[in-house]
């Protein structure tokens, strides 16, 4: 029997179904849904805060920062729970700017880095890449950009911290192009850096925006001087302006002019220089996001593509967050709306379970708090209370069978074997891990030979969360231990006999995941490479689609 779906008893809105097509089209058109990709410390939190200040969504600088400093990895369950409570508010931040509705989806970094971080990127329409100009391209940026690649997500680049000594800007662009394999179109160009940072030159508008140390003001205006040949500039900073002229010539010759189509295809990124902490250049990237990045587009489902302006509601779950509110011990399934209009109190169909649910106490995410949502359109994220019956990748509609595709699982980077102190609890352990695996909290592999289950994660905090939840929700005291496994790949092949041979020959390193897919658990990069070479008829995948 399926568990009861309890969506609570919040007051109902009176449904007024079938919003006029023009209204849906208008609402879709003004929506922008994006995430920030960056390496820890590049300035994501600072930038998020400035964006929220600009839009008036928060009044107080330090609000987002305070949340961040509240987060630290710890094995204390209550602590994790508390942090989850804190971080949910910043999981999705919706704000308005220039008559647009902007949804900013958080991509947890630091110790919070997990599969969620990757999967959030499957729910955005564009991404903002923040790079510390003193450091250049860093590891986590590369990982996240590769995920954006899967859907050709358009990327806007912000070179941050120009008020510090940075690397040479031309060299930075070079690195972006070679390491990330994306063409760069500088839109603004820095004048000096660090102590002699004078501002930026807008290559498309032929304007110079003068740098001034920022304040906590919401939307700061910086002085603008028209024309690179303006004599005022030569008076103000003769040295830097000469340098700028030389560089601009170089840039015009060596880099690509901005091309909207290439940007939208994900092959070119417009690059802006600035300093988030000083508000400097932040408005430019927000405008670029509104003017250049697109509103929600069509999404692929198994049967057909779904247009955002369709009259009927549809969407998919891309993330499940557990136990966020210590008072309620609830889980929330984050659903991205793909079409139509959602309104509180309406009935939607959970397609995998083939049953209708009435969603009353849905949450939306205004920048400052969890709030009751009245309506939502394509691009918006809504939170559905969930008691263990929703999984990553689940699709919802008003009846039509629309299983959305493109919600991947990622090959884990960290592995633990798991055993329990009390062998009588083995059933609970398997049940717990099965459910946590389905939910996407961790990946569970059962080796063909050998008894111990192997857990895989892309961030180590995932193991702590799983250990705590096993204890709290399933009464299982599990011990996680290091393993010799260093990477995993899902294995597929057309010839069933070859697959069977593979399983027999390498049984200790062949395993099945929670959804029953075969995987190869490699002990090293070399081991993986050799195995791939020895089994040319099999394909080894670093991602797999939700089944
Ligand atoms: P993250 O979320 O990407 O991890 O980065 P975060 O915004 O927390 O920024 C990391 C550090 O970089 C912070 O300093 C922040 O103040 C600083 N920072 C961000 N933008 C700029 C900028 O434009 N210029 C300069 N000079 N610094 C910047 P911190 O010392 O770690 O924290 P705090 O002492 O400022 O609180």
């Amino acid at each position: 029997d399926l568990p009861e779906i309890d969506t609570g008893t919040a007051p109902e809105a009176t449904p007024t179904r079938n919003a006029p097509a023009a209204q849906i089209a208008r609402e879709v058109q003004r929506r922008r849904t994006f995430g920030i990709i960056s390496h820890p410390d590049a300035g994501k939190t600072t930038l998020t805060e400035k964006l929220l200040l600009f839009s008036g969504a928060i009044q107080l600088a330090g609000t987002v920062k305070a949340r961040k400093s509240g987060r630290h990895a710890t094995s204390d369950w209550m602590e994790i729970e508390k942090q989850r409570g804190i971080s949910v508010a910043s999981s999705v931040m919706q704000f308005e700017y220039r008559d647009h509705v902007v949804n900013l989806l958080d991509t947890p970094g630091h110790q919070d880095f997990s599969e969620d971080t990757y999967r959030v990127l499957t729910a955005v329409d564009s991404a903002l890449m923040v790079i510390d100009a003193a450091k250049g391209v860093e590891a986590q940026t590369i990982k996240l950009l590769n995920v954006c690649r899967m859907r050709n997500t358009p990327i806007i680049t912000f070179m941050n911290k120009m008020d510090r000594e940075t690397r040479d800007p031309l060299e930075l662009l070079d690195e972006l192009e070679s390491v990330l394999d994306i063409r760069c179109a500088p839109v603004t160009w820095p004048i000096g850096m660090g102590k002699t940072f004078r501002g930026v030159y807008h290559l498309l508008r032929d304007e110079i925006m003068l740098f001034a140390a920022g304040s906590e003001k919401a939307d700061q205006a910086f002085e603008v001087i028209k024309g690179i040949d303006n004599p005022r500039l030569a008076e103000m900073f003769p040295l830097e302006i000469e340098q700028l002229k030389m560089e601009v010539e170089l840039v015009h010759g060596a880099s690509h002019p901005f091309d909207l189509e290439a940007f939208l295809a994900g092959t070119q990124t417009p690059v802006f220089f600035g300093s988030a902490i000083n508000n400097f250049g932040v408005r430019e990237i927000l405008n670029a996001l509104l003017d250049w990045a697109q509103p929600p587009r069509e999404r692929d489902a198994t049967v057909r593509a779904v247009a955002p302006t369709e009259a009927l509601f549809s969407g998919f779950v891309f993330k499940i967050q557990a136990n966020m509110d210590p008072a309620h011990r609830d889980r929330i399934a984050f659903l991205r709306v793909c079409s139509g209009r959602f309104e509180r109190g309406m009935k939607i169909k959970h397609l995998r379970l083939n049953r209708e649910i009435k969603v009353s106490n849905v949450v939306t995410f205004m920048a400052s708090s969890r709030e009751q949502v009245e309506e939502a359109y394509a691009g918006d994220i809504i939170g559905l209370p969930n008691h263990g019956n929703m999984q990553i990748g689940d699709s919802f509609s008003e009846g039509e069978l629309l299983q959305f595709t493109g919600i991947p699982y990622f090959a884990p980077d960290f592995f633990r074997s798991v055993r329990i102190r009390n062998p009588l609890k083995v059933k609970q352990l398997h049940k717990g891990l099965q459910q946590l695996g389905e939910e996407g909290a961790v990946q569970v592999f059962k080796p063909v030979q050998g008894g111990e289950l192997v857990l895989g994660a892309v961030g180590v905090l995932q193991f702590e969360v799983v250990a705590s939840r096993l204890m709290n929700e399933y009464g299982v005291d599990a011990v996680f231990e290091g393993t010799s496994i260093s990477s995993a790949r899902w294995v597929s092949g057309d010839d069933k006999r070859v697959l069977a041979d593979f399983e027999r020959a390498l049984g200790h390193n062949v395993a099945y995941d929670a959804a029953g897919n075969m995987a190869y658990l490699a002990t090293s990069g070399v081991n993986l490479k050799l195995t791939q070479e020895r089994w040319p008829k099999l394909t080894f995948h670093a991602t797999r689609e939700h089944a």
Side-chain angles (χ1 to χ4, degrees):
D1 240 23
L2 292 166
E4 248 331 282
I5 293 181
D6 169 17
T7 62
T9 51
E12 286 172 26
T14 334
T16 48
R17 291 305 306 146
N18 298 330
Q23 182 189 337
I24 294 184
R26 194 172 55 240
E27 292 295 340
V28 169
Q29 199 55 38
R30 66 191 200 107
R31 272 164 171 77
R32 298 289 183 277
T33 301
F34 78 106
I36 297 181
I37 57 179
S38 64
H39 192 82
D41 276 341
K44 184 185 70 157
T45 310
T46 309
L47 189 62
T48 301
E49 182 155 293
K50 298 296 181 187
L51 292 174
L52 297 182
L53 277 169
F54 271 30
S55 64
I58 56 171
Q59 264 72 50
L60 211 62
T63 313
V64 182
K65 269 215 136 124
R67 285 179 192 154
K68 177 183 164 182
S69 60
R71 277 192 224 165
H72 283 292
T74 160
S75 48
D76 183 329
W77 168 247
M78 283 309 286
E79 271 308 304
I80 290 182
E81 210 165 25
K82 238 193 297 172
Q83 290 153 23
R84 300 271 126 181
I86 291 165
S87 65
V88 67
S90 54
S91 294
V92 179
M93 289 156 277
Q94 188 181 71
F95 59 91
E96 294 213 19
Y97 190 73
R98 273 182 39 199
D99 197 35
H100 286 71
V101 177
V102 182
N103 295 300
L104 168 53
L105 277 54
D106 187 35
T107 48
H110 295 262
Q111 305 94 326
D112 274 1
F113 190 79
S114 72
E115 280 180 77
D116 279 350
T117 312
Y118 287 153
R119 272 192 296 254
V120 158
L121 293 174
T122 65
V124 304
D125 300 315
S126 55
L128 181 57
M129 176 160 72
V130 181
I131 289 182
D132 181 334
K135 295 188 178 145
V137 177
E138 295 175 88
Q140 194 162 305
T141 316
I142 300 175
K143 282 188 188 179
L144 296 172
L145 190 91
N146 283 335
V147 177
C148 291
R149 278 273 150 69
M150 297 170 75
R151 294 180 54 248
N152 301 324
T153 305
I155 314 273
I156 294 170
T157 301
F158 186 62
M159 292 286 184
N160 191 25
K161 308 197 188 181
M162 290 309 297
D163 60 315
R164 288 214 186 138
E165 287 304 310
T166 69
R167 286 172 46 193
D168 175 55
L170 278 165
E171 195 188 298
L172 285 168
L173 293 195
D174 228 34
E175 183 174 273
L176 231 67
E177 298 214 334
S178 59
V179 177
L180 299 178
D181 191 25
I182 189 163
R183 274 171 298 171
C184 294
V187 175
T188 64
W189 195 258
I191 309 167
M193 67 168 84
K195 286 197 181 70
T196 61
F197 183 48
R198 307 297 185 196
V200 293
Y201 174 59
H202 200 295
L203 292 150
L204 306 182
R205 291 207 296 256
D206 186 26
E207 277 173 7
I208 280 160
M209 190 165 83
L210 297 181
F211 175 73
S215 63
E216 306 284 70
K217 262 190 260 155
D219 197 352
Q220 205 167 345
F222 294 95
E223 191 186 344
V224 170
I225 295 180
K226 191 78 195 158
I228 196 170
D229 294 318
N230 193 316
R232 259 189 75 201
L233 295 168
E235 278 165 34
M236 289 167 83
F237 32 81
L239 283 181
E240 287 88 352
I241 205 73
E242 275 316 304
Q243 173 80 12
L244 172 72
K245 284 182 182 168
M246 264 164 45
E247 283 180 3
V248 165
E249 215 162 282
L250 265 176
V251 166
H252 276 311
S255 73
H256 312 265
F258 176 66
D259 173 353
L260 187 61
E261 254 171 59
F263 162 65
L264 293 175
T267 56
Q268 189 199 69
T269 177
V271 181
F272 295 81
F273 290 81
S275 168
I277 208 160
N278 290 297
N279 279 347
F280 193 75
V282 175
R283 191 181 356 191
E284 280 60 34
I285 48 174
L286 190 49
N287 284 334
L289 190 83
L290 302 192
D291 295 335
W292 294 342
Q294 281 185 326
R297 287 187 276 178
E298 261 188 10
R299 286 259 160 183
D300 285 334
T302 43
V303 279
R304 64 182 183 87
V306 180
T309 48
E310 288 178 19
L312 297 181
F313 164 84
S314 68
F316 65 87
V317 172
F318 63 93
K319 163 175 171 157
I320 289 176
Q321 196 159 323
N323 298 306
M324 294 177 301
D325 184 345
H328 293 104
R329 303 194 63 79
D330 56 354
R331 290 175 206 178
I332 284 195
F334 289 73
L335 179 143
R336 171 177 161 126
V337 180
C338 294
S339 68
R341 173 172 180 263
F342 176 86
E343 65 183 29
R344 192 148 64 82
M346 80 185 278
K347 291 201 179 95
I348 58 177
K349 194 157 187 181
H350 186 317
L351 296 171
R352 185 175 49 83
L353 300 185
N354 188 26
R355 65 201 310 217
E356 213 164 55
I357 61 169
K358 186 169 175 177
V359 265
S360 301
N361 61 343
V362 171
V363 280
T364 183
F365 304 92
M366 301 307 280
S368 43
S369 62
R370 284 162 78 173
E371 276 173 39
Q372 288 283 337
V373 65
E374 294 301 334
E375 56 170 24
Y377 297 88
D380 289 344
I381 311 301
I382 56 177
L384 304 174
N386 166 33
H387 301 274
N389 38 38
M390 288 178 205
Q391 302 177 6
I392 304 279
D394 277 352
S395 296
F396 289 78
S397 75
E398 291 193 47
E400 192 187 357
L401 274 174
L402 292 172
Q403 173 62 52
F404 287 96
T405 57
I407 305 121
Y409 280 82
F410 296 87
D413 291 323
F414 300 98
F415 299 86
R416 297 284 186 272
S417 68
V418 54
R419 62 178 175 81
I420 39 176
R421 288 187 223 275
N422 178 358
L424 294 176
K425 294 260 183 179
V426 73
K427 249 178 127 172
Q428 282 92 323
L429 174 74
H430 284 244
K431 180 170 172 238
L433 287 178
Q434 175 75 24
Q435 288 182 357
L436 292 171
E438 286 173 355
E439 195 185 283
V442 74
Q443 296 192 36
V444 186
F445 296 96
K446 191 171 187 323
V448 172
Q449 289 166 24
E452 282 184 356
L453 293 173
V454 173
L455 302 186
V458 308
V460 283
L461 182 69
Q462 284 180 261
F463 295 124
E464 280 183 55
V465 171
V466 165
S468 308
R469 290 186 57 189
L470 280 175
M471 179 68 112
N472 277 270
E473 294 169 34
Y474 301 91
V476 175
D477 188 5
V479 187
F480 293 179
E481 281 159 351
T483 75
S484 58
I485 298 156
S486 77
S487 66
R489 291 289 181 273
W490 285 282
V491 183
S492 69
D494 294 329
D495 192 335
K496 287 218 161 65
R497 270 180 327 198
V498 179
L499 283 167
D501 287 347
F502 181 71
E503 184 176 312
R504 247 193 319 277
L506 298 168
H508 280 289
N509 292 78
V510 177
Y512 284 86
D513 71 9
N517 301 291
M518 183 195 273
Y520 180 69
L521 307 178
T523 48
S524 68
V526 176
N527 170 273
L528 177 63
K529 197 158 161 276
L530 285 177
T531 308
Q532 281 173 306
E533 281 168 12
R534 281 186 197 137
W535 299 83
K537 290 205 172 123
L538 300 179
T539 317
F540 295 75
H541 311 267
T543 58
R544 78 163 172 84
E545 284 264 311
H546 178 83

